[in-house]
Amino acid sequence: MKITRLEVNHLTNPIGYYLDPLTLSYTVTEARGTKTASARVEIAKTPDFAALVYDSGVRDDIDSRAFAPELSLEPETRYFWQVSVTDDAGDCAVSETAFFETAPAALNAQWVKAPFEDPDTHPLLMRKFTLPKKPVCARLNVSGLGLYEAYLNGEKVSEEYLTPFYNDYNHWVQYQTFDVTEQLAEGENAVGFMLGEGWWMGRFGFVAGMRKVYGSQMQLIMRLHVTFEDGSETVLVSDENLLCHRSPILESSIYDGEVYDSRLEVPGFATPSCDLSGWVKAVPAAAPKENLMPRLSPALTAHETFKPAELIHTPAGETVLDFGQEITGTIMFRCRAPKDTRIRLTFGEILQDDNFYTENLRTAKQEYTFIASGDDRLVRPHFTFYGYRFVKVEGLEEVCPDDFTAVVLHSDLRRTGCIETSNPKVNRLFLNALWGQKGNFVDVPTDCPQRDERMGWTGDAQAFCATAHFNMASSAFYRKYLYDMLTEQAGELNGSCPFVVPDVLHQIARVQGAPETSHASCAWGDAATVIPWTNYLFSGDKELLRAQYENMKRWTDYIHTIDVETGDLRLWHTGFHFADWLALDNYHQGSSFGGTDPYFIASAYYLYSTELTAKAAEILELSEDALYYRTLAKEIREAMQQEYFTPTGKLAVDTQTALVLALHFDIAPAAYRPRLIRDLKKKLDDEKIHLTTGFVGTAYLCRTLSENGLTDYAYTLLLNEDYPSWLYEVNMGATTIWERWNSVLPNGKISDTGMNSLNHYAYGAIVEWIYRHAAGLNPDETAPGFKHFTLAPEVDPRFDFVRMSYDSPYGEIKSHWEKKDDTWHFSVTVPFDTQATFIAPGGADGYVNGTLFHESIELIPGSYDIKLI
Ligand code: BGC
């Protein structure tokens, strides 16, 4: 037996995170038995566990998905922990030692800024200091507005990018804590910082040219806490002892990129040998009024790299590198250009007429300008990121493709799910959705990573959330997003949920003195219930649900208040809604809102959110809440039945999406369901089995078909290759998911420049259907985190095989099927400590490891070969 993957709040060995509530999780593998007989969690302040600060004792109720020890945490303390497990076969093991380290109680430091006349001048900050001996422990706590990079003795302190990430700075700012023990030496040392504008004050938001949305000057706060062997300590904080110099960075911006003049570099920056003459003292900066808080964001780090697949000389005379894959990230290149050479890179998603093209980025410039100092070096931007596949290179005499490397950046989450099928185009679609996730998981779940938007659109986030969880362990990532969301809900919005989180649209309204209207759209605001619930379903972490219940309750209560104010109908019949955004069945040509009555969708989500809140309340044993939301849900369902169905059971809203919601959210009386299914089938037949759905309907369309006996239709939709379909995009060469079904027309022309991103993951939600139905893996809400799950693969003769593996909180679940000797064979794996129900497609009978079963069979941990009769 092995005990692996020890995680704290779904993070590995976190240092300086916000850890309230604290949960510990681990995975048991290679056990001889099938389930845990007993386990014990021990926590100590030293790695030898000599004196325990917590001992669960040997118990049979320790939850490996999320164990919440009763332990009050001391600040700035490293806790070591280990788990021992005995299984039902008597096998036992002790885990390796893991740790977590708490943040300091307070930084007791001053925010500082450079005293430059022009507040837009990017500063470098640094100071030297002497240590009497090499420390045994050193921690750097640091935050910057907008963005910072920290250096110690000439080296970048961490591998993270774009720290301290993106929050609504009105509510909180995260600081990071880094273990810098190894970077300090006896004697002279130096610490230095570069600052960039980031989301805080760079151009951001919809309003063309608008900068300084949150703040107007770059600033920094830091604390360096050094401990020596004899227990003595030195603490260094940001104050006027930090010295400032103008930075070689001349401009930095999330949308527009960066301008870097390497001729302005300061030799020896952040090293003890740096000549500090000419540097000026930092001055105190007004602390942003919000709380400085330990981080919640998982690390944002570099992942895959790509070399150019092709060097293109376009008809327009441009030199363009094609990296072959649309990514989100940065670029690195080797520069050997003579002094004063001005190299400009521009980043784009697609070529048009074989030429470089950026019009669909709207006003985002996506550039990097580097002015050479004449030395041979590796170059990279510091405070920006790009969504791109193509890079136009200007200013170099000769472009050597091998000098360039595309670097993927995304929040560092463990990959969990993988799908491979006998259809290479479906495999490409799976990868496109995965690339969509990587590309839009840059600290905040964004709509897109390239044009002048890149915001945490709630509707997109909720539509893709379950797919994201199947692909990567996403709980910690969404935990931060939901914390952001709650700070917005708890403020002036009275529980409502904004269109985007962090709510930059509200902030812009504040700056402009305009009323705030960017909140409370159905299916967007419902991110406040859908994401917490999905987190729970996939992680099984009840403490996480408890922490996020407040999001759910506030949003549901907000809708209810609107309902009461507008007539107590138990319907949501007012206000602005994005509704079935970008659906193809719009009544009015050219409308983005789709053809489904927005108030039907709003009421459907009112019901859905109320039911999710009720379920969460039940799990959290909040019986009064549970009863209240159950009753409310019943009333909403009845009101919808009266409002939207004829007495003979016809749904009055006649679109694919409306029928999908009526079935999937279980709105109709049971007796009406057969008719709804017939009507949905007919609607699809009318379109020669093609979808017309937008952001709302698409997320549930294939699932609803499968749930109602129409899996063959779901497969047809998946396999369609003509417009509109997923594989149309694949055939057109997409390497990510497009925003629109027709983002690129069959002639290769981009369909529209107003709102047309080639990396928008919302429609990638089809991948959830592949996991849940083609491969058949479904979590069970009564035993979440895959404690119990169903495996109900739905086969289709158009595939020779489907292979899915998913690294659940309990370890690997496998579901493979293939056609062999004219029958279907399955090979499934059920991990330790779980149980699964295998349901044979079409209610067939079969043999599992040679034993006959009828229709379905309960499986205990193990690997099984199943053959249908
Ligand atoms: C974004 C979307 C978002 C939408 C609101 C767009 O501009 O890119 O993905 O959800 O606005 O409907």
Side-chain angles (χ1 to χ4, degrees), residues 206 362 447-448 451 453 457-460 524 578 581 695 739 755 760:
F206 280 137
R362 301 198 301 224
D447 57 336
C448 59
R451 69 166 177 238
E453 203 145 353
W457 281 96
T458 46
D460 310 43
W524 269 246
F578 291 111
W581 186 245
F695 275 32
E739 180 170 19
M755 198 181 62
H760 241 70

Side-chain angles (χ1 to χ4, degrees), residues 55 194 204 218 263 292 365 384 415 515 643 648 671 820 854:
D55 185 355
M194 298 175 87
F204 190 53
M218 286 165 265
R263 298 167 308 180
L292 188 64
K365 284 205 291 193
T384 190
R415 266 299 302 283
E643 178 79 5
T648 50
K820 249 193 327 198
H854 302 291

Side-chain angles (χ1 to χ4, degrees), residues 825-847:
H825 290 249
F826 304 83
S827 145
V828 303
T829 302
V830 178
F832 179 77
D833 244 347
T834 68
Q835 286 186 327
T837 307
F838 179 86
I839 303 170
D845 295 342
Y847 287 99

Side-chain angles (χ1 to χ4, degrees), residues 613-776:
T613 310
K615 284 200 238 184
E618 276 153 16
I619 288 154
L620 298 172
E621 291 163 41
L622 303 167
S623 47
E624 262 181 44
D625 279 17
L627 180 65
Y628 169 78
Y629 292 112
R630 278 282 168 220
T631 311
L632 179 59
K634 189 168 166 280
E635 289 168 11
I636 300 168
R637 181 171 278 110
E638 282 164 8
M640 288 197 76
Q641 290 177 353
Q642 286 213 350
E643 178 79 5
Y644 290 109
F645 294 88
T646 67
T648 50
K650 182 175 168 50
L651 178 60
V653 189
D654 191 26
T655 62
Q656 292 181 8
T657 290
L659 287 158
V660 163
L661 294 184
L663 288 162
H664 190 71
F665 291 166
D666 201 14
I667 298 169
Y672 295 176
R673 285 186 75 92
R675 173 165 190 174
L676 296 181
I677 298 166
R678 269 201 318 274
D679 288 352
L680 177 59
K681 184 168 180 291
K682 162 114 185 20
K683 283 216 93 49
L684 284 161
D685 288 337
D686 291 347
E687 302 288 338
K688 299 196 175 65
I689 318 186
H690 283 79
L691 48 75
T692 58
T693 49
F695 275 32
V696 166
T698 304
Y700 306 117
L701 173 61
C702 285
R703 287 181 64 194
T704 305
L705 291 169
S706 286
E707 284 156 3
N708 292 286
L710 290 171
T711 287
D712 54 332
Y713 272 53
Y715 270 109
T716 300
L717 291 173
L718 173 72
L719 292 171
N720 280 338
E721 298 204 17
D722 53 344
Y723 169 82
S725 70
W726 288 278
L727 296 190
Y728 164 71
E729 298 184 15
V730 169
N731 283 341
M732 291 300 294
T735 60
T736 38
I737 303 284
W738 298 340
E739 180 170 19
R740 296 171 174 274
W741 291 116
N742 69 346
S743 282
V744 182
L745 302 173
N747 62 8
K749 291 271 187 236
I750 199 122
S751 62
D752 177 10
T753 54
M755 198 181 62
N756 200 352
S757 130
L758 303 187
N759 194 359
H760 241 70
Y761 58 37
Y763 292 152
I766 181 63
V767 166
E768 181 185 353
W769 176 85
I770 303 180
Y771 279 109
R772 283 184 190 263
H773 291 277

Side-chain angles (χ1 to χ4, degrees), residues 302-352:
H303 295 266
E304 297 88 339
T305 56
F306 288 87
K307 284 290 179 190
E310 199 184 344
L311 173 67
I312 302 170
H313 298 286
T314 70
E318 304 142 322
T319 305
V320 175
L321 301 168
D322 175 4
F323 286 93
Q325 169 65 51
E326 166 134 0
I327 65 148
T328 299
T330 187
I331 192 154
M332 247 166 37
F333 64 95
R334 183 171 174 195
C335 177
R336 282 166 283 197
K339 186 161 187 255
D340 301 332
T341 310
R342 207 181 167 89
I343 300 157
R344 186 161 70 152
L345 309 181
T346 313
F347 298 78
E349 295 187 282
I350 188 170
L351 301 182
Q352 290 285 269

Side-chain angles (χ1 to χ4, degrees), residues 22 24 40-45 49 51-57 59 62 67-72 79-82:
L22 174 77
L24 310 176
R40 177 182 181 193
V41 172
E42 292 162 285
I43 307 178
K45 288 193 196 170
F49 293 88
L52 297 183
V53 295
Y54 176 84
D55 185 355
S56 68
R59 283 165 45 179
I62 289 187
F67 175 68
E70 276 170 34
L71 171 68
S72 59
Y79 293 91
F80 299 88
W81 67 288
Q82 64 180 17

